[in-house]
Amino acid sequence: MYNLQAIISKGTNNALVQFERFGQIANNLANVQTNGYKKVTFEQILKEDGYLTGTVRTDHSQGSIRITSNPYDVAIDGPGYIPVVSPSGEVQYTRDGSFRQGKDGYLTTSDGWIVGEGIKIPTNCFKFEIKQNGEVLVYDARGDKAKKVGTIPLVRFDNPDGMQTADMNRLIATDEAGEGRLIKNHDCIKQNNLERANVSIYQSATDLLRLNASMLASMQMLKLADTMYNKSINIREG
């Protein structure tokens, strides 16, 4: 049997776990328009002692790919990440391929991180092309032969769940993620496309509504237990 203190303790713990899950779902909804965003799931577990706990996981499944007609946009069709380098030399990884031509003509992320080892696209070139294997070709003029100026690298990890979340939808490699492997001879890069977030608005909204009902029930139970606890104290004092 549970006494009132145990009921309040378990109820408070379970409510906090539900609030954490609520925050994760709300964060997924907030990033539904973020390119390449991977939704976070919170798996609730009810232990034998009646306490709720949970595990946070990242769903690395492929998001849908949409055409943008912007030659600087690239999507990864398949597993893997593009390494990007900060101005200070830090390496992180992303699936957000909304790139642009940055300082000195280098291909960069929207906030100025260099793509790969540095791919310089001449500002006065006729056009440039990004092949499915990541090779970047430029044409100086119409009818000219293409010149290779670099390759957008694709890196895969044995355990992407072990990667650490960073700012601007980037990830940091960790020992838990395993050694990053540079993938060659692939056909995963799609120019003029972007990967959308793998978040379902309808499923997330449904999860929020169900969780909200569960949280209201939990709070009502806590309120009832607290009322009974206060009455029992008054009886003893009386």
Side-chain angles (χ1 to χ4, degrees):
M1 294 181 63
Y2 293 131
N3 57 36
L4 286 175
Q5 288 179 322
I7 292 174
I8 293 174
S9 176
K10 287 181 175 63
T12 301
N13 171 82
N14 296 350
L16 290 174
V17 171
Q18 289 176 320
F19 270 118
E20 185 174 352
R21 186 182 175 209
F22 191 93
Q24 298 291 352
I25 298 174
N27 187 61
N28 287 337
L29 279 172
N31 283 282
V32 71
Q33 297 296 331
T34 302
N35 298 317
Y37 175 79
K38 300 304 175 188
K39 67 180 178 181
V40 174
T41 61
F42 189 85
E43 300 177 6
Q44 287 187 180
I45 302 171
L46 182 62
K47 298 191 294 184
E48 292 182 359
D49 59 4
Y51 281 89
L52 270 181
T53 185
T55 301
V56 178
R57 300 185 186 278
T58 301
D59 180 357
H60 291 274
S61 62
Q62 176 86 44
S64 62
I65 294 176
R66 64 182 177 91
I67 298 174
T68 66
S69 300
N70 182 343
Y72 289 98
D73 289 340
V74 297
I76 302 174
D77 188 7
Y81 300 87
I82 296 172
V84 292
V85 184
S86 73
S88 63
E90 181 183 2
V91 178
Q92 294 182 5
Y93 299 86
T94 187
R95 287 183 67 92
D96 181 356
S98 54
F99 299 142
R100 63 183 179 86
Q101 190 175 29
K103 185 178 179 182
D104 300 323
Y106 284 99
L107 193 65
T108 72
T109 62
S110 59
D111 59 340
W113 287 49
I114 295 290
V115 176
E117 296 180 350
I119 302 169
K120 189 172 184 178
I121 301 175
T123 55
N124 58 348
C125 70
F126 172 67
K127 71 171 184 177
F128 69 94
E129 179 184 7
I130 302 174
K131 307 292 285 185
Q132 288 184 314
N133 64 359
E135 290 184 352
V136 181
L137 308 177
V138 299
Y139 300 82
D140 291 332
R142 185 187 299 272
D144 280 2
K145 186 177 180 180
K147 296 187 298 184
K148 180 181 175 181
V149 294
T151 301
I152 297 176
L154 180 68
V155 176
R156 290 175 183 165
F157 294 87
D158 292 331
N159 179 31
D161 282 337
M163 301 181 77
Q164 179 182 340
T165 303
D167 294 333
M168 298 298 292
N169 200 23
R170 292 189 294 264
L171 297 171
I172 300 173
T174 65
D175 292 339
E176 186 180 350
E179 189 72 23
R181 294 175 288 109
L182 180 65
I183 306 300
K184 298 181 179 180
N185 302 319
H186 64 83
D187 59 354
C188 297
I189 301 295
K190 292 186 176 295
Q191 187 182 17
N192 303 303
N193 288 269
L194 285 174
E195 180 188 5
R196 300 175 65 90
N198 64 348
V199 177
S200 168
I201 296 178
Y202 306 105
Q203 184 61 52
S204 296
T206 299
D207 290 343
L208 276 180
L209 289 173
R210 289 176 177 173
L211 186 58
N212 184 62
S214 177
M215 289 170 62
L216 288 174
S218 295
M219 298 308 293
Q220 287 294 331
M221 184 194 71
L222 280 174
K223 184 177 180 180
L224 177 60
D226 182 61
T227 300
M228 294 174 63
Y229 186 72
N230 287 330
K231 286 183 177 179
S232 67
I233 292 177
N234 293 333
I235 291 173
R236 290 176 184 176
E237 291 179 349

